Amino acid sequence: QVQLVESGGGLVQAGGSLRLSCAASGSIFSINVMGWYRQAPGKQRELVAHISRSGSTNYAASVKGRFTISRDNAKNTVYLQMNSLKPEDTAVYYCNAVVYPGSWGQGTQVTVSS
């Protein structure tokens, strides 16, 4: 089973940017759709962006136009570029397959101050 390690989170002011990375221990090429999820305190985990093996992307309405998901199958890595961050983006961010999620990693904390 592919193990996933998220990184790149941190504390940033509103309007700032962060780039998250998700490194897989094995090949993600066979995983058609990879996604970035987030979970804020007291809320359910939600899918914010996903990308297919061919590069087709889709975004939640709350992040569309501000976040960009990408993947590098050769490096077994998925990225999330987050711009124009808002306090409501504060959450722990995770990556995983979308159709059949495997084990969850530790996630990476993103905190946006107002």
Side-chain angles (χ1 to χ4, degrees), residues 36-106:
W36 278 97
Y37 302 75
R38 69 185 181 188
Q39 187 167 21
K43 295 188 177 181
Q44 289 190 330
R45 189 174 292 164
E46 63 171 338
L47 178 64
V48 296
H50 61 83
I51 183 168
S52 70
R53 187 189 302 129
S54 64
S56 297
T57 59
N58 204 285
Y59 300 91
S62 59
V63 307
K64 196 169 187 177
R66 301 187 297 121
F67 290 11
T68 302
I69 188 172
S70 60
R71 64 191 285 172
D72 186 332
N73 293 325
K75 294 184 177 179
N76 298 317
T77 303
V78 183
Y79 304 97
L80 186 68
Q81 177 67 43
M82 306 187 297
N83 299 327
S84 301
L85 283 162
K86 303 176 181 180
E88 50 263 46
D89 295 319
T90 294
V92 179
Y93 284 72
Y94 305 86
C95 69
N96 212 326
V98 172
V99 178
Y100 297 110
S103 299
W104 294 92
Q106 294 295 312

Side-chain angles (χ1 to χ4, degrees), residues 3-24:
Q3 302 298 313
L4 302 165
V5 178
E6 301 90 351
S7 63
L11 173 63
V12 63
Q13 288 188 333
S17 298
L18 286 172
R19 188 191 193 209
L20 306 184
S21 297
C22 170

